[in-house]
Amino acid sequence: MEKVYNTMRWTGACSIALGIIVLVIGAAVGILSIVSGSMLLKRKSDIVF
């Protein structure tokens, strides 16, 4: 019974850690997207298709 408890505890800790990592990466990608978009808007007069 203790092995099951330890396995569940380890799995829960890994899930929480993975969730935090995904949250941080998602926030970083969102910030980079906003910065990139603002740079495009700033230079929209220079863009020629």
Side-chain angles (χ1 to χ4, degrees), residues 1-23:
M1 190 68 160
E2 192 172 326
K3 284 184 178 182
V4 174
Y5 176 74
N6 286 336
T7 303
M8 289 173 63
R9 184 176 56 174
W10 186 80
T11 304
C14 286
S15 296
I16 290 172
L18 187 60
I20 291 170
I21 290 169
V22 168
L23 181 70

Side-chain angles (χ1 to χ4, degrees), residues 30-48:
I31 290 169
L32 288 174
S33 296
I34 291 170
V35 169
S36 168
S38 68
M39 288 174 62
L40 282 172
L41 285 174
K42 183 178 174 184
R43 298 183 183 136
K44 71 180 178 180
S45 62
D46 298 336
I47 298 174
V48 178

